[in-house]
Amino acid sequence: MLHIGCHLSASKGFEAMGKTALEIGADTFQFFTRNPRGSQAKTLDLQDVQKLRTLLNKHHFAPLIAHAPYTLNPASADPHTREFARQTLADDLARMEHLPGNLYNFHPGSHVGQGTDEGIRLIIEALNAVLTPGQHTTVLLETMAGKGSEIGRSFEELKQILDGVKLNDKMGVCLDTCHIHDAGYSLAELDDTLTAFDKQIGLARLKAIHLNDSLNPQGAHKDRHAPIGQGHIGTERLAQVINHPALQGLPFCLETPNDLDGYAREIALLRSLYRE
Ligand code: FE
Ligand code: FE
Ligand code: ZN
């Protein structure tokens, strides 16, 4: 069973996202919890959230991925930026309790010259401050391309974060195919890459896949997504990702540059390449 969807705009509300997903052949989707570059979160419309929950149940959706804003940086050198990151994480997780059983993904952060070890220490500190034993959301660290001083460019760095988090049974990883390719991992040698992931982190931690092609060659550390088949990864290798035995059952989410028709076409293409 292939669970696939794409990033959707949250501007028309929760139930609207579910309906859009159904229209384009998706059975999962991703959305920003608030403006990706800003801080303001709209007040939750609980009736709207409830309508989405009904729709998700009725149509057997896989877990959804809520994505934190890009501006979040718990590894910042600036204490105000770190405090904003903590408040946003805590507030988002509180809101996610209205959509229990789903995933919350964030970019671990950038150390901005303080060094990887200090960045990792600060990310661990933030997670230990915001995770709660009773939460019903799994928090995902996204694998990063390694542009600038981004943390999470290697499986080792993500493992170090997970090792430091006390409630790490609430934690997992979202693997972004464009990002790991840009970070230097091979999608041509997918078995080797997943073995490396398993050795460092453990495949049981892998909770979601961002399925993107990349505009740049392997190891470029750029993070520019391309439509499926129009980048350096290619349709064939992305088809191997959705068909890999170790990845069955995970939600696959497109973050390719596309309008809704484009997403519908990519979802249909990938469904046609899926071998049951
Ligand atoms: Fe992301
Ligand atoms: Fe991503
Ligand atoms: Zn990206």
Side-chain angles (χ1 to χ4, degrees):
M1 176 79 177
L2 176 65
H3 297 298
I4 189 164
C6 63
H7 187 91
L8 292 176
S9 162
S11 63
K12 294 196 181 108
F14 287 93
E15 191 193 23
M17 285 190 285
K19 287 182 173 167
T20 300
L22 289 173
E23 281 165 19
I24 60 174
D27 64 349
T28 178
F29 60 88
Q30 174 172 275
F31 60 97
F32 283 123
T33 54
R34 57 189 74 213
N35 183 329
R37 309 213 165 265
S39 60
Q40 275 312 101
K42 281 192 260 178
T43 336
L44 270 193
D45 176 346
L46 293 180
Q47 265 189 341
D48 183 31
V49 172
Q50 191 51 53
K51 283 183 192 158
L52 173 63
R53 287 179 65 177
T54 306
L55 180 150
L56 299 175
N57 279 330
K58 185 175 168 203
H59 297 277
H60 308 289
F61 271 57
L64 308 182
I65 308 168
H67 198 305
Y70 294 141
T71 46
L72 200 89
N73 187 10
S76 172
D78 176 1
H80 295 104
T81 306
R82 293 204 298 271
E83 183 53 30
F84 166 73
R86 265 189 212 198
Q87 279 173 12
T88 302
L89 286 169
D91 183 49
D92 278 353
L93 288 176
R95 293 153 62 93
M96 286 296 289
E97 285 302 297
H98 295 288
L99 266 174
N102 291 295
L103 307 166
Y104 178 74
N105 175 59
F106 78 107
H107 297 178
S110 295
H111 66 69
V112 288
Q114 304 178 94
T116 306
D117 288 349
E118 178 61 4
I120 288 174
R121 191 187 68 77
L122 291 168
I123 295 162
I124 291 168
E125 202 175 80
L127 286 165
N128 281 333
V130 302
L131 296 181
T132 56
Q135 70 180 59
H136 298 86
T137 300
T138 302
V139 176
L140 306 185
L141 304 169
E142 182 164 353
T143 60
M144 299 310 292
K147 68 176 185 304
S149 65
E150 264 173 3
I151 292 168
R153 64 180 65 206
S154 69
F155 301 152
E156 288 85 347
E157 289 182 10
L158 296 177
K159 176 205 162 45
Q160 283 179 52
I161 298 171
L162 293 166
D163 282 349
V165 176
K166 289 195 192 85
L167 295 174
N168 70 15
D169 60 313
K170 306 293 180 194
M171 298 285 305
V173 171
C174 173
L175 185 150
D176 185 309
T177 55
C178 167
H179 295 179
I180 64 164
H181 162 91
D182 279 30
Y185 292 101
S186 171
L187 285 152
E189 308 293 333
L190 181 60
D191 278 338
D192 292 352
T193 296
L194 291 178
T195 300
F197 186 101
D198 194 34
K199 275 198 183 134
Q200 284 294 332
I201 300 174
L203 281 167
R205 290 262 185 219
L206 186 51
K207 302 297 182 194
I209 306 284
H210 283 166
L211 203 64
N212 302 308
D213 213 326
S214 172
L215 281 180
N216 292 289
Q218 189 183 334
H221 300 296
K222 289 278 209 252
D223 190 2
R224 300 276 315 279
H225 301 189
I228 302 301
Q230 293 181 45
H232 284 255
I233 299 175
T235 307
E236 193 185 318
R237 285 172 195 165
L238 292 166
Q240 280 165 1
V241 172
I242 57 172
N243 283 296
H244 196 284
L247 307 180
Q248 294 314 295
L250 294 178
F252 293 89
C253 186
L254 299 161
E255 299 176 305
T256 46
N258 263 317
D259 55 16
L260 282 176
D261 287 344
Y263 277 134
R265 280 195 297 274
E266 287 191 350
I267 290 168
L269 169 70
L270 289 157
R271 287 202 186 281
S272 77
L273 294 171
Y274 185 69
R275 302 182 295 271
E276 209 63 47

